[in-house]
Structure formats: structure tokens, C-alpha cells
Amino acid sequence: MKWFIDFLNVGFGEATVIRRMEENCTYCLVVDGGDVDPMTNPRRCSLDQYLREYEIEKVDVLVLTHFHKDHIGGVLPILGHVPVEEVILHIPLPEHVQKSGLNDFSTPILGSLSLYASILNLLEQLSITVTQIHEPFTIMEGDMTFRILMPSHHRLKQLAEELELLDVTNLDLQEERLTAIDRMLNHTSLAVLIKNKENSKALLTSDVGVDFWKPYDDEIGQIHTLQAPHHGDTSHLSEACLRHWAPQVVIISADDQGTYQLPHPGMESLVHEHSEAKLYYTEAAYSTHRIIRVDAVEGTLQLVE
């Protein structure tokens, strides 16, 4: 049975597709949607483009780790064009925000909120099943287990309170609250642990912080492939985590333009000093690949142009 994990080069952002590929038996799980116009950079690959090129007839599950635009920007173009069976998320928007008609892209966080509200409204219009999770959630498909890991309830409660208090009719007076929401999103992200026959194969970390992992230490164990958190941010990855997980491959989802000064210059030395992992970038200077493909069973890696 062939299972592949495809890390798409979406520039600064994340979109990961996990597929079972065998005759008459397919499965597709998508984690985040990235945010890219591939027409502006032929090295890159949008989620929509990927689904069309590989002739994927439906997405079985779409997981939204959080609603920063670089993680959800590619979701809206596929809704209504490729059937999506189920969307899993954990951060709802208060009705007064979701139904406000917010369409303000003047700042990154307002753009993220506007886009997320549009996605949630379209999911309702299309009658797509939305599963809002409150605890760690498990998806089992054949020999594969996809374990969706949750942030702390305390952090989620803080975010929910800030969203509830957001006054979308007076955005000029909401700068402090919007900044707080923006910062909270990283630390309230979901992570996804991928296992094959109970063996940890890959850990998709989204933008979570170091304090996210303690409840899951025993569950994760050693892994083959680690997607470095927050686009190669050294403050989001500890020496202890690297030693405990002992990854063989570390993938950094980032562009080659240093957006937000990421990845940090110290990321390579951090990885090399505390693990035996080989380091790969979804996009780096002079790279030509559009996809990093990891065989979830065998552990082999291929750069796909």
C-alpha cells in the first residue's frame, strides 16, 4: 500500500497533502491550503493546481490548523470545484464576525479574518460537513492513523474571548485586540501526527510553540519526518524536542525571500547539532522542485519538479 506525504511549495505558507495511491482505492487528506498564485512563480504549486494536475476527484478530509492567510489562502479556490467530504477545525468565529461581510485586507490579520469568514460561510452554503473538535481527534484509514493534536484549553479560551469582543463596526479602534488575536493564532494551532502501524512517521507542526508538546511526549516518540514549526523559527523548536523525536528528515516550509525574517539563520545549526536529520526547504534559492514527497511507509524522499 502506497502512502505519500506531499509538502507543496506554496512560498511562505503551508499546504500538505497525504494520499493513498493504489488502483481503485484512493484517499486524500489535506492539511492547510497555503496561499500562492503559481502564475507569479513557476516553481510554486497551489493546492488547486496540485489537485487538478494529479486529477484528484475528491478531498476526503481537510484539516485547518488555524486561520492565518498563509495557511488557508488556497482553500477558497477549491471549494465548490473539488468535492470536500469533511472539514476539521477547532476555531469557530462568533456569528457577528462570520456574518459581518468583513472584506478588509489592509493588514495581514484583517485579511486572514476576512478570508476565514468567507470560507466558513461557503462551507455552510455548500453543505460541507464541518467537524469542530475540542479534544485530540483520530482518523484511521487502513494502516494509517492521523492524530490531530490540540493546543491547551486555556489558550483557546483566551482566543475565543478576544474574538467575541471584536467589534467589526469600529476596526480603527481594534488594533490592540487584532494584534492579540494575530499572536494567539500561532499558539492555538493544531498539529498532526501521522503513524503507520503505530509507528510515528511524520509530525506536521504548523506554527505551534515549544510549550505545545509536553502532553504528547509519550504519544509522539521518535519520528521520521518533522515539519519544522513556524516556517523555521528557532524559538518554536527546542533542543529537547529534536533529541526526543530524533527525526531523520526536517522540512521547512518557507520562501526564499526571508518573509518575516524566516527561516531563522540559526535553524540549520540547531537541527544539525541536536539531530542526525537532513534538512530540506520547500523553497530555497535556486531550488526547482515544487513538491517534497515523502513515502510515509518506506521513508524515502523525492523532490518533484
Side-chain angles (χ1 to χ4, degrees), residues 7-19:
F7 299 88
L8 277 56
N9 175 8
V10 292
F12 189 87
E14 289 184 8
T16 307
V17 183
I18 303 100
R19 289 196 292 150

Side-chain angles (χ1 to χ4, degrees), residues 266-284:
M267 177 56 75
E268 290 197 10
S269 60
L270 176 66
V271 170
H272 292 152
E273 287 175 16
H274 302 285
S275 77
E276 299 297 322
K278 293 184 178 180
L279 192 63
Y280 296 86
Y281 296 85
T282 53
E283 179 175 290

